[in-house]
Amino acid sequence: QVQLVESGGGLVQAGGSLRLSCAASGRTFSSYTMGWFRQAPGKEREFVATISRSGGYTYYANSVKGRFTISRDNAKNMVYLQMNSLKPEDTAVYYCAATRGALNIETSSGYDYWGQGTQVTVSS
């Protein structure tokens, strides 16, 4: 089992940047595929990005491709989401998620463990 704690959210103007962090507990962090999701008020949770166990493979939602970068540091049990060129439509609660599997990693159902979320608000 793994526990996840996100941090780094906040209020930023459009065009600005934020870096979200997710700290994972446990000694088997490198065995988990990690993902970031977000949920805006009144909307369903949506996929943002995922990264493989080694960090060698990443995949992004079209809406963030070219602006967001997911990365991980297995030695520190950390996963990050660097968000650049932020837009008001990026406003949401951002969640870190983990799974030992490799199926459906672009959907929330593919993940077993979730953090509590961190709020990102982008003003216009």
Side-chain angles (χ1 to χ4, degrees), residues 31-54:
S31 67
Y32 291 89
T33 296
M34 302 298 296
W36 284 97
F37 288 75
R38 65 187 182 186
Q39 188 167 17
K43 295 187 176 181
E44 292 188 353
R45 190 170 299 188
E46 66 172 356
F47 168 77
V48 175
T50 186
I51 188 166
S52 63
R53 296 172 181 87
S54 68

Side-chain angles (χ1 to χ4, degrees), residues 4-119:
L4 306 172
V5 179
E6 302 97 333
S7 61
L11 174 64
V12 64
Q13 289 187 332
S17 298
L18 281 175
R19 188 176 84 151
L20 305 183
S21 299
C22 174
S25 65
R27 293 175 289 180
T28 59
F29 175 70
S30 61
S31 67
Y32 291 89
T33 296
M34 302 298 296
W36 284 97
F37 288 75
R38 65 187 182 186
Q39 188 167 17
K43 295 187 176 181
E44 292 188 353
R45 190 170 299 188
E46 66 172 356
F47 168 77
V48 175
T50 186
I51 188 166
S52 63
R53 296 172 181 87
S54 68
Y57 171 80
T58 58
Y59 186 76
Y60 299 89
N62 287 335
S63 59
V64 307
K65 198 173 297 182
R67 300 187 297 123
F68 291 11
T69 302
I70 189 171
S71 62
R72 67 189 296 163
D73 185 336
N74 285 344
K76 296 181 178 179
N77 283 16
M78 297 290 294
V79 63
Y80 306 98
L81 186 68
Q82 177 66 43
M83 305 185 296
N84 299 328
S85 302
L86 282 161
K87 305 175 181 179
E89 51 263 43
D90 295 318
T91 294
V93 177
Y94 282 71
Y95 297 91
C96 175
T99 178
R100 287 187 179 272
L103 298 178
N104 301 320
I105 57 175
E106 299 165 34
T107 67
S108 56
S109 63
Y111 292 82
D112 304 304
Y113 305 101
W114 294 85
Q116 83 289 349
T118 185
Q119 176 71 47

